[in-house]
Structures are given as structure tokens and as C-alpha cells.
């Protein structure tokens, strides 16, 4: 049976780009840059005062031991000084204004007194370059300042704005089809009988894709009936880039998903992985590169599969690096229950004065509320029979 | 001068709810629940088989040492068995189906052989309750399963769906007005002269609020001109719940923001905090409870202020607990530059085999690209002169 690492490698090798599109910056938050961003000019673009104060020649203090200078001009941010600074003179300058010619330091206003055009300085020392952000010190014109394939966070959006990118080219997002299978499953809004359950898997998968700004998401239910399933999957194969099924992949008499997928020309890459929960997962692709994930029907299995399998696929398609887990100390003890890699829901806690993780109460892979109260999942690898208190573990945030 | 902790306390004490609204679940991702969620029935709602297999009486194996049982029925998920199980009989049962009356264990299909209505079991042991998720074991009808004021994550949306909440009551979001002040600031899309810079602060603040799903956000520029500033702020005060200004709060000749705000009836709660970067921050409220944050104009100051001051305010308004930092080991050494609390951009790294943080290259509070390459900020508290390698520090993720 396939290991988790092998399964991830197979999945990633099938990833493909969905193309690119150009958007106005205000629509691009959370999207993935598909162009490198170069500095359009030096940053700072000029020698900028970082303080409200006086622009001076440092040598007037260091060499000539002056303590009073003649004021020649006031320079506000957004304007340019017209007077060159010579020995014995200074200009008042505001934060963000260009340092005038001849000046090589700014003394902050708190250390001065200005009276009738004369400025008295109460300073012990001064440094050439003091309180000046030098032209080009952050980035030089033409230098790459954001790499292709950055997520457009609030911080990145600020950099895009300052460098004049009103339009940005981003990775196009896939169209998603989600099919929840099972005769026992009814949709939200439908009356539910005792032996039935309302679908939650489609909501969780939808939420996962939504966190990558994917919003072209169709969801539907399918009964455990070969003809119904075949028609539903065929409809989505015609139209979607990624199809996620839940249920119907295990060993039950009505588990038709693998059979129907192969009938429809989806080539199986693997079926069953050495993982708990979620072992019966099926993965395959169509000749034109669409990906189909057949997940087990249990809610926690679906959530683990999103993090462990679907997220690496999606990130690779978008050109993003895989997410690294946080390596944190574990609080508690845990004995493995199977010979497989086991993932279990955990919460972040303070453990011996630093951030650690501990397991949340969790009955079974059907436990509806356990993961909602957890911060993510921790891996107990196949070869680690016992997780001891304080062992460093891989934590994957939801 | 106010400490960071005092400033945060003052800000939080001014927080107020923006009300509540009811939304369809598909519009509620990322919003904050304003109602507790109770289990509408037991979960699981019936004794559910967690495996494909055979429902049996455990005593047939434990006491009577049988190894072959007569098959009386097949029960698919979504249907209900009609035959009670007695000694010597079993029903085939699929994952998710209700366990029939009389049965107290399920043997997985892998450990059986079925021939002509007789099932042979190859098992060494069996346990009462094996492979059965017992009715109510996850949650009992009426029990609170999600607290008021949970963020609706994908996991939470799954719980809301399964419990039948097609409509949910959530915290209403504030209307935001963002004013970037300064004669040197031009907006994206406008030609920029050498001594000017394009606005980035409004984009960063907008992105921060967007991460809480706030989308009623107006942004504008204002020159360093008292009349212009007064008119702009007055317009936003009439219409917005929270107003964020950047620039104009320090000691420059054109720093009119505090004066104009007080003129317009915004009562100052504090001006200047013992923090770097971002010390000159101003905070006040109107008689009807609107909050006004006057931030310094430097990009990094604005970003730090979003995390340290605006986020605690917003979360308290929405009813969310404050975010806890991650307490992680620091890699490197850092000497304090001021007597204040200092925040500096850091990235997550692997340090001595576990997750730690290290400072990113960072020239000044105007460095446009430094924070875009960082994962968050670390606090070096006022009283910690030296951060030593491996010291545990508070890390706030962007």
C-alpha cells in the first residue's frame, strides 16, 4: 500500500497550472502573483529625512564645534528644497521630505531651539547619515523585490501599490466540483430522518478552497447508484478542473466510486494510503489533466485529506511552495493505534513556557465537533510507536 | 508616556459591538458566530457502523466460541435493518448504516468470508461495541457544541451544516474609512514625481480589515492642509464606524491630525506610546463611540499598529478573544535601540530542530519590502536589553 510520502509525491507530479489572468490590485488580495515585481525606481527614491528636524552638515559639529546655525529654508514632505546647505546653515525638514543638497545629517527637532532664524542645537554627538534613509538603500531600481508566486498578503499589496502595480498578473484559479455520495446523506435545508445525516463534507471542502480565494465551486449529492453517480461525475468532468468526491471508496457493497471513475476514463494513480484517518483515499487524473480525489466519507478523514493531499496539489498547481509544518513540543502521551501514519486534531497551548500542541478530545473520524475546536493536526509517523511528552512533532494548522 | 499594555487596555475598553445580522451559511465563512450552536439531536444520531462488515452479538464469539453465523440481511447506509440479530445470526452492514437491534459489535469485512448465506469469521478476539460509534457519544441533543463568538472556519461551517443551520447569526462588521495624509503621497495610478511616493498604507490597512471579511472600506488621500483634512475627516465621521489616518501625528510643522480630530469632537484617549516603530500613534473616540486611530505615516509603523492596536480593538468589538502570540525560540542576537517595547519583522525558521524565529533584513520603518518577506513581528520588551540566542519570544503572525 502507498505511503503518505509516496502518495503526496504522485499527486504533486500531476499538478498543472490553470493559466494566468490580470486583475486590478483591489481584486487580488489572497491571490498568487504570477509575475516578479521589480523596483520601478530606487527605494527610497531620494535621500529621505526619517525625522522632523534640521538638515545640517555633520562637520559643523564634529570639526568646527558649532552649536548654532542659520536657518535658510523649511522643507515639507512633498516639496523640494531650493537652498543648498553650506557650513553654518541648516534647513528645517519634515519626515518624508528630500534632504537638501549639501546636508548629510538630520538633527531631530526635540534636540533644538529655533529663535528668529537661528537654530541652537543641544546635541552631544552627530553621525554622517543620521536620520537619513539613503536613496536606494531598501531596493535599487530594477531589482526584484517580490518573487513570482508570492501570495498577495496585505503587506505584499502595499509593495505592489508603492511600486505602481495597479494591475497584477496572478495565477488563475481552478473550477471545483464536489460530490458527496451516500444514500444516508441529505443536504442542508432538507428534512433529515433518524438514520440519515446532513452533508457537511462539501462545506468543509468548499471552505478549504475558499481560503485560496477559489469561488467557482459547485456541490451536489449523489446516491449510491451506479447510473446516478456516473452521470454526476461525467457532468463535472466536462466542466471542472478538480473534482472531489466523498464516500464510496471503501469496501462496502455500494462503494462504486473507483469503478465509475475508471469507467469514465479517469486513470487511477493510487487507491488506499497508509494513513489514518482516511486510508481508503483514491486519486486519479483524466487524459487532459483534471484531478479527481475520492475521499472517504468520514468528516475528519475529509479534513485530513484536504491538508495532506489536496492542499499540496493545489499549491503546486498555483506555483506556491508546499507549506512547512510548525515543529512544536507535544504535551501528553500517545500510543499509535495502527501501523500507519496517524494524524490527530490538536490545539496550541503553552507548554513549559513556550508554544506546544496537545490532542483535543476526539472520539472517532465521525466526531463532528472535535476538529472545529482544534487548531490543526499533528502527525504521529508510522515508525513512532509512542509520542512522549515534549517530543517535537509536525503540526499542520487548519 | 503610555506603555503598549496601557494603550491596548484603553483601546479595548472603548470597543463596542456593531450589532448582528443573519446570513445564509454560504455567505458566512470567516465571519464571527453571534449565537451558540446546540446539537439538534444526538451525534451520532444512532448507533452507527464505522466499518463495512457484519453486525453480530459479541457473546457468540466470547462465550459460545462460534466461528460461523447465518446471514439474515444486508443494511446499506441510508436504510434501516428490519431483522433483529439473535445468537447465531448476523447482518451485513455498511459504514454509516445504523447497527440493527440485538447486535453489539461489527466485524470488518476483511476478517470474514461469505458463502451461500453463511459467514465465516477469522478473528482472534472481539469487543462489545467494536466498530460502532454509539448514539450521542460525540454530543447529546441540546448540548452546546460551538460557542457564541467562534470564527466560522471551514471546520465550523461543517458543524453548522450538519446541525441544520442554513442561516446563522453573525457579528455585523464595521464600516471603515482610511485617510492617507501627506503632501508627498500620491495614489496608485497617478504619475509620481521624484520627491513623491505612492500610497501603500491604505492598501495594507484595507488588507488587514479584509482578513476579517470587512469589505465596506473607503480610502482617500488628504493633503497637509487643515481645511482639507477637516473636511475629509468630518465626511468619514458622519458615515464610518472606524477611521484610520496615516501620517500627520508627529512633531512636524504640518502634523495637523491631532488638532483637527479634537476640533471635530474626537476625544483624545492617548497620543504617543512607548513603542518602536510607531510611537507617535494617536487614539480617540467620538461621543457616539466611533474609534479614530491616527497612525504614523511609515509603512512598517502602520503594519505594527494594525497588529498591536487595531486588531485587539476589532476582535473585541466582534466578541472574539485576543490573539495569543506564538512563544518561540529566537535565533540570533538583538540589542535594544530605544527604552521602549520594540517590534521587528521576523521569519519562521527551523532552529535546533524546532520552529523558531529570526529577524529579517530591515533597514528602517520605511523599508517597503522587508515586511512582505517576513511572517510576522516579534516583541523585544522594554525591560529586555538583549535578546539572546534561544530566548523564547512572543511572535505575532501577520
Amino acid at each position: 500500500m502507498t505511503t503518505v510520502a509516496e502518495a503526496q509525491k504522485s499527486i504533486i507530479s500531476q499538478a498543472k497550472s490553470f493559466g494566468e489572468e490580470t486583475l486590478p490590485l483591489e481584486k487580488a488580495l489572497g491571490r498568487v502573483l504570477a509575475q516578479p515585481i521589480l523596483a520601478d525606481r530606487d527605494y527610497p527614491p531620494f535621500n529621505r529625512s526619517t525625522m522632523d528636524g534640521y538638515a545640517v552638515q555633520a562637520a559643523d559639529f564634529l570639526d568646527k564645534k558649532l552649536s548654532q546655525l542659520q536657518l535658510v529654508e523649511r522643507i515639507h514632505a512633498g516639496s523640494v528644497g531650493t537652498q543648498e546647505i553650506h557650513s553654518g546653515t541648516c534647513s528645517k525638514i519634515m519626515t518624508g521630505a528630500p534632504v537638501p543638497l549639501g546636508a548629510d545629517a538630520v538633527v531631530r527637532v526635540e534636540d533644538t531651539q529655533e529663535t528668529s532664524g537661528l537654530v541652537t542645537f543641544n546635541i552631544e554627538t552627530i553621525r554622517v547619515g543620521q536620520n537619513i534613509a539613503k536613496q536606494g538603500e531598501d531596493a535599487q531600481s530594477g531589482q526584484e523585490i517580490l518573487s513570482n508566486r508570492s501570495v498577495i498578503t496585505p503587506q505584499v499589496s502595499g509593495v505592489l501599490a508603492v511600486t505602481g502595480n495597479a494591475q497584477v498578473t496572478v495565477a488563475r484559479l481552478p473550477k471545483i466540483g464536489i460530490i458527496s455520495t451516500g444514500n444516508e446523506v441529505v443536504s442542508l435545508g432538507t428534512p433529515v430522518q433518524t438514520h440519515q445525516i446532513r452533508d457537511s463534507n462539501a462545506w468543509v471542502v468548499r471552505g478549504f478552497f475558499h481560503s485560496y480565494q477559489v469561488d467557482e465551486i459547485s456541490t451536489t449529492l449523489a446516491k449510491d447508484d451506479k447510473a446516478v453517480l456516473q452521470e454526476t461525475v461525467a457532468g463535472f468532468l466536462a466542466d471542472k478542473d478538480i473534482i472531489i468526491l466523498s464516500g464510496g471508496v471503501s469496501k462496502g457493497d455500494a462503494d462504486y466510486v473507483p469503478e465509475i471513475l475508471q469507467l469514465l476514463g479517469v486513470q487511477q494513480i493510487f487507491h488506499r494510503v497508509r494513513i489514518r484517518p482516511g486510508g481508503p483515499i483514491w486519486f486519479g487524473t483524466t487524459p487532459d489533466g483534471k484531478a479527481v480525489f475520492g475521499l472517504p466519507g468520514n468528516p475528519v478523514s475529509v479534513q485530513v485529506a484536504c491538508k495532506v493531499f489536496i492542499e499540496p496539489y493545489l499549491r503546486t498547481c498555483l506555483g506556491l511552495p508546499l507549506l512547512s509544518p510548525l515543529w512544536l513540543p507535544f504535551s501528553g502521551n500517545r500510543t499509535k493505534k495502527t501501523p500507519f501514519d496517524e494524524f490527530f486534531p490538536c490545539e496550541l497551548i503553552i507548554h513549559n513556557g513556550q508554544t506546544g500542541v496537545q490532542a483535543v478530545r476526539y472520539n472517532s473520524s465521525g466526531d463532528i465537533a472535535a476538529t472545529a475546536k482544534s487548531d490543526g493536526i499533528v502527525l504521529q509517523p508510522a515508525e513512532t510507536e509512542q509520542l512522549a511528552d515534549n517530543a517535537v512533532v509536525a503540526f499542520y494548522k487548519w
Side-chain angles (χ1 to χ4, degrees), chain A:
Chain A
M1 213 189 323
T2 316
T3 66
V4 171
E6 288 162 357
Q8 287 174 325
K9 205 174 151 194
S10 307
I11 286 172
I12 288 166
S13 74
Q14 299 294 324
K16 57 155 213 170
S17 165
F18 307 111
E20 298 171 357
E21 62 186 328
T22 298
L23 296 179
L25 182 54
E26 59 266 31
K27 299 282 181 199
L29 267 173
R31 298 291 293 271
V32 179
L33 263 181
Q35 58 173 111
I37 299 296
L38 309 183
D40 61 315
R41 52 182 183 154
D42 288 344
Y43 286 96
F46 47 82
N47 294 328
R48 185 185 64 213
S49 178
T50 63
M51 287 283 181
D52 300 315
Y54 293 87
V56 300
Q57 290 194 342
D60 275 358
F61 301 90
L62 295 173
D63 302 341
K64 305 194 183 148
K65 311 293 180 195
L66 302 184
S67 64
Q68 208 171 54
L69 301 176
Q70 196 190 337
L71 181 66
V72 296
E73 191 179 19
R74 295 174 193 276
I75 310 169
H76 284 78
S79 60
V80 181
T82 57
Q83 305 295 311
E84 187 169 344
I85 299 303
H86 301 286
S87 178
T89 68
C90 65
S91 283
K92 187 155 195 196
I93 188 165
M94 261 42 85
T95 306
V99 175
L101 231 57
D104 60 11
V106 169
V107 178
R108 58 183 196 154
V109 71
E110 291 91 327
D111 298 335
T112 65
Q113 279 177 294
E114 184 189 322
T115 325
S116 325
L118 280 182
V119 185
T120 308
F121 292 80
N122 315 305
I123 53 173
E124 310 252 306
T125 179
I126 191 168
R127 183 176 59 75
V128 169
Q130 174 175 300
N131 296 327
I132 297 175
K134 220 173 147 50
Q135 178 173 341
E137 76 171 23
D138 298 341
Q140 306 219 329
S141 183
Q143 187 183 327
E144 181 175 309
I145 47 176
L146 286 176
S147 63
N148 197 344
R149 307 304 172 174
S150 306
V151 174
I152 302 178
T153 61
Q155 277 68 30
V156 168
S157 80
V159 176
L160 292 171
V162 92
T163 50
N165 291 276
Q167 304 280 326
V168 288
T169 300
V170 298
R172 196 184 284 274
L173 297 172
K175 289 189 205 169
I176 311 297
I178 305 172
I179 307 171
S180 303
T181 76
N183 286 345
E184 76 277 28
V185 180
V186 301
S187 62
L188 180 57
T190 311
V192 59
Q193 291 181 268
T194 306
H195 59 285
Q196 296 178 322
I197 52 165
R198 297 188 194 91
D199 179 40
S200 67
N201 289 336
W203 291 90
V204 171
V205 174
R206 182 179 169 279
F208 161 75
F209 279 105
H210 199 77
S211 71
Y212 283 89
Q213 313 301 315
V214 177
D215 58 7
E216 288 192 77
I217 302 175
S218 304
T219 64
T220 191
L221 299 186
K223 293 284 172 203
D224 294 321
D225 174 296
K226 288 189 192 181
V228 168
L229 198 57
Q230 184 171 344
E231 194 186 326
T232 309
V233 176
F236 275 3
L237 280 174
D239 187 37
K240 311 300 178 194
D241 299 300
I242 302 175
I243 297 171
I244 315 288
L245 296 103
S246 68
V249 289
S250 192
K251 300 194 169 166
D253 289 355
D255 287 345
Y256 304 131
V257 167
E259 177 188 341
I260 294 298
L261 289 173
Q262 300 202 45
L263 192 70
L264 287 168
V266 187
Q267 199 200 331
Q268 176 181 315
I269 311 276
F270 61 74
H271 186 193
R272 304 188 189 286
V273 173
R274 298 176 64 80
I275 186 175
R276 288 291 179 277
I281 183 173
W282 191 100
F283 175 67
T285 54
T286 63
D288 56 343
K290 293 166 192 269
V292 182
F293 292 85
L295 312 183
N298 277 318
V300 183
S301 301
V302 167
Q303 294 170 35
V304 169
C306 281
K307 289 306 289 179
V308 177
F309 300 115
I310 302 178
E311 187 162 43
Y313 178 79
L314 179 63
R315 290 183 70 89
T316 308
C317 291
L318 299 178
L320 289 173
L322 301 188
L323 281 178
S324 301
L326 295 180
W327 295 94
L328 298 174
F330 181 68
S331 169
N333 272 281
R334 187 176 190 276
T335 306
K336 281 248 282 80
K337 300 180 175 71
T338 71
F340 307 136
D341 281 354
E342 292 181 5
F343 289 87
F344 56 99
C346 281
E347 60 188 339
L348 292 166
I349 55 156
I350 305 287
H351 182 60
N352 300 331
Q354 56 181 291
T355 295
V357 285
Q358 76 181 6
V360 300
R361 198 186 76 100
Y362 166 48
N363 276 325
S364 73
S365 56
D367 193 342
I368 56 156
T371 56
K373 290 174 179 167
S374 68
D375 294 307
I377 47 177
V378 161
L379 166 63
Q380 181 166 9
E383 66 277 13
T384 306
E385 204 46 51
Q386 193 73 31
L387 274 188
D389 192 55
N390 237 21
V392 173
V393 293
F395 168 75
Y396 298 81
K397 203 172 176 320
W398 289 126

